[in-house]
Amino acid sequence: DTGVSQDPRHKITKRGQNVTFRCDPISEHNRLYWYRQTLGQGPEFLTYFQNEAQLEKSRLLSDRFSAERPKGSFSTLEIQRTEQGDSAMYLCASSPQSGTGRYEQYFGPGTRLTVT
Amino acid sequence: GQQLNQSPQSMFIQEGEDVSMNCTSSSIFNTWLWYKQDPGEGPVLLIALYKAGELTSNGRLTAQFGITRKDSFLNISASIPSDVGIYFCAGRHMDSNYQLIWGAGTKLIIKP
């Protein structure tokens, strides 16, 4: 049973560049989430997918952020025109099929983004 | 946004001591989750609770879903050095089928 994987683990980019992160959820999970976490804080919700449908997007998420899950399996998170304030850990999580009554979320190792 | 009240914020303990931490909310939750996070890593799920009054163990860890459904507790018995890290609680509100509300974390530090 492989867990949630994320790639890359670390990304350093210059301000103004675009970056894209990938998440592969646990294979039998149909729900996928993206979070952002800064030092000393808990995870902050960004967006939620059920299968390929993006059902919720945080109001805190600027238009520079976009996420996709084209085939209901892996997901990508893209940040355009990065700013120094985007520096954070980006976490992906997945949870079991809707309808199972289970809501626990399993997290990947995260992608640490540093914008210089 | 809404946050759970998690306490204590940090704990300095001796190896071998028992540890207790808790989370409280002003509203009712249907799910309580406890996670541990090491530096530079994602949170790891420790225990999931789904029923009021439920008491669940995972090795030296025990967590309880409060009977009022507004709180949860995590206990660690006989702490060891690898218990160091940040522990987060997260709750799912009764009106949500996916979104979690997070505590601010409890940082566990073992005195040398």
Side-chain angles (χ1 to χ4, degrees), chain A residues 53-71:
Chain A
Q54 187 174 18
L55 298 186
E56 185 72 27
K57 190 175 175 182
S58 169
R59 288 169 293 185
L60 301 174
L61 206 60
S62 82
D63 291 342
R64 296 184 297 105
F65 287 70
S66 62
E68 292 184 344
R69 195 182 183 199
K71 297 182 180 179

Side-chain angles (χ1 to χ4, degrees), chain A residues 73-92:
Chain A
S73 56
F74 73 92
S75 176
T76 57
L77 176 69
E78 181 183 17
I79 309 175
Q80 296 182 327
R81 304 181 304 281
T82 52
E83 301 172 357
Q84 287 189 321
D86 296 331
S87 296
M89 175 77 92
Y90 290 84
L91 295 165
C92 176

Side-chain angles (χ1 to χ4, degrees), chain A residues 9 31 33 35 37 40-43 45 48 56 89 91 101-109, chain B residues 3 31 33 35 37 40-45 48 50 88 92 96-100 102-104:
Chain A
R9 291 293 312 275
R31 291 183 285 186
Y33 315 80
Y35 290 86
Q37 187 179 33
Q41 303 294 319
F45 171 78
Y48 160 61
E56 185 72 27
M89 175 77 92
L91 295 165
R102 293 174 57 198
Y103 297 90
E104 66 269 20
Q105 296 181 15
Y106 297 86
F107 284 82
Chain B
Q3 253 201 343
T31 304
L33 306 171
Y35 290 87
Q37 188 172 27
E41 300 292 332
V44 174
L45 180 67
Y50 287 101
F88 288 101
R92 181 183 65 90
S96 173
N97 66 357
Y98 70 90
Q99 191 152 5
L100 299 180
W102 290 81

Side-chain angles (χ1 to χ4, degrees), chain A residues 1-33:
Chain A
D1 177 26
T2 56
V4 178
S5 60
Q6 292 186 246
D7 183 70
R9 291 293 312 275
H10 304 275
K11 179 71 176 178
I12 300 174
T13 191
K14 293 184 178 179
R15 190 177 58 179
Q17 297 295 305
N18 299 343
V19 294
T20 300
F21 309 142
R22 177 179 170 124
C23 171
D24 286 89
I26 294 172
S27 57
E28 60 267 28
H29 289 179
N30 73 335
R31 291 183 285 186
L32 185 147
Y33 315 80

